[in-house]
Amino acid sequence: MQGYSVRRARTSDVPRIQALVEPLIQEGILLGKDRVVFYEAVQEFRVAEDAEGRLIGCGALHVMWEDLAEVRTLAVSADWLGHGVGHALLDRLEADARELGLSRLFCLTFEVPFFSRHGFVDMGSETVDPAVYAELVRSHDEGVAEFLDLARVKPNTLGNTRMVKRLA
């Protein structure tokens, strides 16, 4: 038995999500977010909890375009690394993406080997159709700017790899 389960996040999980990602923010692995941002996006999150109900992982799926979403804030408690929690969360987010009719997933990550094992590849200089670019560039969302590799988010992307996965 795996000893944990994955479910949709609730508003009561937000303080625990924030506490879970805080060490990763301090290490410069994730970008910090205000609590209000987590509440605004709570419906995008899935969480993993152990048998005692402790939150041990989280991840979000943020739709960016008709065929594209970003995997965001994927984090696992240090005590649970290597137990399949991240894999279970990513599998659930991919299932959610398929249910929404999406065909591509994007992530900006330092964890290249992890995402590579799940079929993500370095997107290099891949671009989108100019008409789609013109629409996406209007977004105020930092993740969209990172996907487009806009100059204003370069400090956020230093050392990270922009990766994409095409869903079957």
Side-chain angles (χ1 to χ4, degrees), residues 3-148:
Y4 61 88
S5 60
V6 175
R7 63 167 173 78
R8 177 180 294 279
R10 298 185 282 263
T11 56
S12 59
D13 294 318
V14 167
R16 297 188 304 158
I17 290 170
Q18 201 169 26
L20 177 72
V21 301
E22 185 59 32
L24 299 172
I25 292 166
Q26 294 304 317
E27 291 178 45
I29 295 170
L30 292 177
L31 290 175
K33 296 178 184 170
D34 293 324
R35 187 168 288 189
V36 68
V37 174
F38 286 108
Y39 280 116
E40 290 171 343
V42 72
Q43 71 279 1
E44 299 177 355
F45 273 86
R46 299 293 182 250
V47 296
E49 57 185 11
D50 68 12
E52 286 78 42
R54 290 183 293 258
L55 194 132
I56 59 169
C58 66
L61 182 73
H62 180 77
V63 175
M64 297 166 65
W65 196 248
E66 67 182 327
D67 66 334
L68 175 69
E70 180 183 10
V71 173
R72 292 185 171 177
T73 321
L74 187 61
V76 175
S77 169
D79 297 343
W80 281 85
L81 290 174
H83 290 89
V85 176
H87 296 284
L89 284 162
L90 185 55
D91 287 348
R92 176 66 181 270
L93 296 174
E94 286 186 21
D96 292 346
R98 286 185 178 90
E99 186 178 315
L100 289 167
L102 301 169
S103 60
R104 292 182 299 159
L105 292 178
F106 164 74
C107 70
L108 179 69
T109 186
F110 289 108
E111 301 297 333
V112 173
F114 172 83
F115 282 97
S116 293
R117 286 191 301 274
H118 283 273
F120 284 76
V121 296
D122 186 329
M123 65 184 281
S125 60
E126 179 179 327
T127 58
V128 295
D129 177 272
V132 173
Y133 181 93
E135 291 289 333
L136 286 173
V137 78
R138 295 178 186 170
S139 174
H140 297 288
D141 185 271
E142 292 297 293
V144 172
E146 291 161 352
F147 173 76
L148 296 175

